[in-house]
Amino acid sequence: NSQITKAEITVYNLLGEKIFSSTIYHIQKGMIKLGLSTISPDVYISVVQMSDAVIARKIIVPGNKMR
């Protein structure tokens, strides 16, 4: 199935604190874009809960170091 109709997305820091939560509707081709530009550079864990699965992934937000 290439279209999911609803997903609950939560992003946690490595201390387990929730920093972002949203409900997304009409996800197509398995792609979800998150607007996380305001969070600090670090490593986070995203958890996506759908009706038939729960998926956890690591998110790395890089710093703005230009060399």
Side-chain angles (χ1 to χ4, degrees), residues 39-57:
I39 67 171
S40 300
D42 207 339
V43 178
Y44 300 91
I45 303 296
S46 67
V47 178
V48 180
Q49 296 182 336
M50 298 166 284
S51 61
D52 61 346
V54 176
I55 301 170
R57 294 286 187 263

Side-chain angles (χ1 to χ4, degrees), residues 8-21 34 36 39 42-49 54-59 61:
E8 300 284 337
I9 301 162
T10 309
V11 177
Y12 299 93
N13 64 18
L14 293 181
L15 298 175
E17 300 166 330
K18 180 173 24 174
I19 61 158
F20 176 85
S21 183
L34 299 177
L36 300 177
I39 67 171
D42 207 339
V43 178
Y44 300 91
I45 303 296
S46 67
V47 178
V48 180
Q49 296 182 336
V54 176
I55 301 170
R57 294 286 187 263
K58 178 170 54 174
I59 298 174
V61 178

